[in-house]
Amino acid sequence: MSSLRGYQCNPARVVQKAKMIFSASGRHTFVVEGDTDFRLYRQWLVDDNACLENVNNKSQVKDVWKEAKRRGLHSIHCLADLDYDLVVNNMPILDAQFVYVSMRDGETSSDVECNDLESVLIRSHALSKVMAQKYRGSDLYGDEFTSRVSDLRERLRIASRNVGAFRAADQKYWRLHNRSPIGDNFNIEDTFFNAEKLDVDVSKLTQVLRRSSRQGINAMDEVIETAEKYIRDFSDGWQLSRGHDLTSMLAQHLAHLLNRRVISSRDVEEDLRMACELEMVKETQFGAKLMKIGEAAGKPFLKASF
């Protein structure tokens, strides 16, 4: 991060700016953790009542929340992905000013809707719109379009769950040992992922991970054992399905269907964002929270929510 960007994301500066904005215009500030989130929320929030602040990562969002609470500023709201927090027993922040994208108040890991914002979009009707319009899904899937998209969504869930289990297990290992056997350079690749069938070969995946362990074979075996347990424990839900894995898998699948050399996951995410309508947002967990925050403040933050 550049020194200028670091200054712009500084929690004290963000909170002071939010205080000045509220004093001058009565607008509330919503803090998000990345560019994708910024673009998504920008299309849904009421400009006259809300402004957005992107602080680059989840850790910074938490720091801004802490600073806002320290200073008693109630016009700032922090939005973050749940990620694997409940899976690996990271205690969530339970506060009205901190909103997890896919978790309602008081929920447990078996209740959450999704892992992050991108996975919320995959679960929404936006996926059907993208397949029908952008990628001519009605032609690809024929008369059984609706059932085929449902099947596509389910195969994406299972494939991303099988990869996400290892990501979550690596996070748990890091919490216990302050080391990461997998690291940050773990991508969806054809050594274990079949783009045509949307299938992850877990056996081949474990072989890839064993060969690439940064902390030795014993450390990776511990991660693999934990991941296999997570696959069993969370077999039916979306808790392990990371949004960027979902969009990467979908992009590779679409490239295969359309006989293209490559379709980027970033393009898929942008397509999903554009296809997500306000009524779809209202049906999500974070949409319900934004409406609740607006009701408490006496002004709508989500467009046409009153």
Side-chain angles (χ1 to χ4, degrees), residues 181-182 209-210 212-213 216-225:
I182 293 179
L209 293 176
R210 281 196 173 98
S212 62
S213 176
I217 194 65
N218 290 336
M220 186 58 76
D221 282 345
E222 183 175 332
V223 168
I224 291 170
E225 182 179 352

Side-chain angles (χ1 to χ4, degrees), residues 191 201-213 224:
T191 51
D201 188 320
V202 175
S203 177
K204 290 182 179 179
L205 174 54
T206 57
Q207 292 173 22
V208 169
L209 293 176
R210 281 196 173 98
R211 289 196 300 267
S212 62
S213 176
I224 291 170

Side-chain angles (χ1 to χ4, degrees), residues 105-303:
D105 296 335
E107 285 188 323
T108 65
S109 60
S110 61
D111 302 316
V112 296
E113 181 178 77
C114 280
N115 182 299
D116 54 25
L117 191 54
E118 290 81 10
S119 56
V120 170
L121 295 179
I122 290 286
R123 287 201 68 184
S124 77
H125 187 62
L127 177 62
S128 295
K129 284 188 63 179
V130 168
M131 293 300 294
Q133 298 173 6
K134 180 73 174 180
Y135 297 106
R136 307 189 310 280
S138 56
D139 296 332
L140 291 169
Y141 283 172
D143 295 334
E144 300 178 349
F145 177 73
T146 301
S147 62
R148 291 290 298 276
V149 171
S150 295
D151 177 67
L152 169 69
R153 185 181 287 112
E154 177 64 5
R155 283 187 288 149
L156 283 168
R157 182 192 70 82
I158 293 172
S160 60
R161 176 204 67 192
N162 290 344
V163 171
F166 290 88
R167 296 192 189 278
D170 189 62
Q171 285 193 16
K172 181 176 181 180
Y173 187 93
W174 184 87
R175 286 188 66 215
L176 295 173
H177 306 287
N178 201 29
R179 293 179 294 149
S180 169
I182 293 179
D184 298 328
N185 297 318
F186 174 34
N187 300 312
I188 307 301
E189 55 187 59
D190 59 11
T191 51
F192 59 83
F193 175 63
N194 185 314
E196 177 185 3
K197 297 179 180 179
L198 281 172
D199 179 66
V200 168
D201 188 320
V202 175
S203 177
K204 290 182 179 179
L205 174 54
T206 57
Q207 292 173 22
V208 169
L209 293 176
R210 281 196 173 98
R211 289 196 300 267
S212 62
S213 176
R214 308 190 318 168
Q215 303 296 333
I217 194 65
N218 290 336
M220 186 58 76
D221 282 345
E222 183 175 332
V223 168
I224 291 170
E225 182 179 352
T226 302
E228 290 171 344
K229 180 179 185 300
Y230 285 159
I231 290 173
R232 294 191 300 270
D233 291 348
F234 300 97
S235 61
D236 297 328
W238 287 80
Q239 300 92 325
L240 296 173
S241 294
R242 177 175 173 260
H244 293 306
D245 287 339
L246 285 162
T247 56
S248 176
M249 291 174 176
L250 180 57
Q252 293 180 49
H253 180 63
L254 289 169
H256 171 80
L257 286 179
L258 300 171
N259 197 27
R260 297 187 190 177
R261 187 176 64 84
V262 64
I263 294 174
S264 75
S265 57
R266 184 180 180 88
D267 286 345
V268 170
E269 290 171 9
E270 186 69 8
D271 293 336
L272 288 165
R273 179 185 73 80
M274 296 299 294
C276 191
E277 300 170 356
L278 185 62
E279 290 306 313
M280 299 179 198
V281 175
K282 291 179 181 179
E283 294 175 357
T284 66
Q285 296 182 0
F286 73 87
K289 280 194 173 184
L290 289 177
M291 288 189 286
K292 183 177 179 181
I293 292 171
E295 290 169 0
K299 61 179 69 178
F301 295 125
L302 194 63
K303 291 178 179 177

Side-chain angles (χ1 to χ4, degrees), residues 12 90 100 104 227 298:
N90 284 340
Y100 286 101
R104 296 189 199 276

